[in-house]
Amino acid sequence: MHRLISVLLVLIVTVNGQQPSSSNVTAVLGELAVLRCEVQNADESSIQWSNPARQTLFFDEKKALKDSRIELVNAGRNELTISISNVSLSDEGAYRCSVFAHVVNIVTAYLSVIATPSEPILSGYEGPLVEGSEMLLSCQSEGGRPLPRLLWNHNGHPVTGKERQEVLEGGTVMVISHLAKVVGREDDGTSLTCEVFHETLKTSLVASITLEVYYPPVLFIQRRGDETRLLEGRSLELDCIVEGKPRPESVKWQRLGEGLPEKADVVGGTLRISPLNRTDNGTYRCQSSNMAGTTYTDFNLIVHDPGMLESRLGTDTAVIGGVVAVVVFVTLCLLIVIGRYLARHKGTYLTHEAKGAEDAPDADTAIINAEGGPASAHEKKEYFI
């Protein structure tokens, strides 16, 4: 009987026991965390919140731990809700909500503390850079938790850096990403950005720079006029067109191996020689410099004598006429030879192979009687008429 009563009491206690419910909470470092515990069909019971160190924070509406950051939000028969302001990393852990009735029921809510990373800081760029030089950039963001992601982007295209992490005092993380790049003139004016992504951010944090690259002058020579050959007595005008960064110095003209002709006139990047003669022949060089380097390009001048040119044209015409005459003569000769050959071989062949076959009664007899048959094969002859 005593044992039966004990079993009944256990069943009554189990039925009357109140099961609390709660949920895990994620809070941003330095902000507010709210812990809520609810009890369905609450009877005469008490609710208690305790921290990861098992210290009681609130027992119903009564505050037990003297911590000004912890406040009561709501207390009742069915609920006990508290808040923790200015959350620190030390607040992270498992909090317990206990319901005291005929039995004690406990539910655990885990408080996770995350931290927003700082804006990225770009370093290592000391522009402008000279074409062909290498730059080593660093992008740094600290204070994040969990680990943030750092991504590089160059003019709209992702690029890969080399990353390392370091845990700071207090439990947050510092992330540093290094990017090495050799710059060219095509990089001048392009943007390079470092972005930080983290779950605490609605949009990424961005740091960017605009690259400035110096490169040596780019030169090309443009000749005015449409003459194919430069003749004595005519004029020559050459424009030396130059580009570069920074702006190149003034253009310099020279003739390799000797000075410019006395009649040569240089205005800006334009060289003019008039009138031309064959003593002006040579290699003319256009040269320009800036702080990134020196560049030059050459123009080979050949002045032609109009008389010699006409004589050469006449000689060329005569040679061409002679070649054509020879070709025509050879063609006619071939036609004559072919015609004579065809005329000599045109005719009809008449043989005596079938002679006597007209009177033969059958084919075998005709073959035997024919002069061209087996019996007289050695005497077979042909006649050309």
Side-chain angles (χ1 to χ4, degrees), residues 281-302:
N281 288 344
T283 300
Y284 289 79
R285 173 167 294 178
C286 168
Q287 180 175 300
S288 184
S289 302
N290 62 11
M291 65 174 299
T294 299
T295 309
Y296 63 84
T297 185
D298 295 337
F299 178 84
N300 292 319
L301 174 61
I302 300 177

Side-chain angles (χ1 to χ4, degrees), residues 52-123:
R54 299 296 184 264
Q55 296 171 315
T56 300
L57 302 177
F58 271 88
F59 191 86
D60 290 336
E61 72 279 2
K62 296 178 182 180
K63 186 174 182 179
L65 185 65
K66 293 182 179 181
D67 188 338
S68 60
R69 300 179 304 121
I70 303 174
E71 298 289 342
L72 178 65
V73 177
N74 190 24
R77 295 182 58 187
N78 298 325
E79 175 188 350
L80 179 60
T81 303
I82 64 173
S83 65
I84 305 174
S85 60
N86 193 21
V87 173
S88 65
L89 295 178
S90 61
D91 294 323
E92 189 173 72
Y95 288 74
R96 301 205 314 176
C97 174
S98 305
V99 177
F100 296 90
H102 298 288
V103 294
V104 179
N105 292 317
I106 300 173
V107 66
T108 299
Y110 194 89
L111 173 61
S112 299
V113 179
I114 59 178
T116 303
S118 65
E119 292 191 3
I121 299 175
L122 272 177
S123 60

Side-chain angles (χ1 to χ4, degrees), residues 277-340:
N277 58 55
R278 282 177 290 174
T279 61
D280 298 326
N281 288 344
T283 300
Y284 289 79
R285 173 167 294 178
C286 168
Q287 180 175 300
S288 184
S289 302
N290 62 11
M291 65 174 299
T294 299
T295 309
Y296 63 84
T297 185
D298 295 337
F299 178 84
N300 292 319
L301 174 61
I302 300 177
V303 181
H304 299 274
D305 182 353
M308 293 183 61
L309 183 60
E310 292 177 0
S311 175
R312 180 176 297 177
L313 290 175
T315 303
D316 292 343
T317 302
V319 171
I320 293 173
V323 171
V324 172
V326 170
V327 171
V328 171
F329 177 75
V330 171
T331 303
L332 290 175
C333 291
L334 287 174
L335 291 175
I336 293 172
V337 171
I338 293 173
R340 290 176 59 86

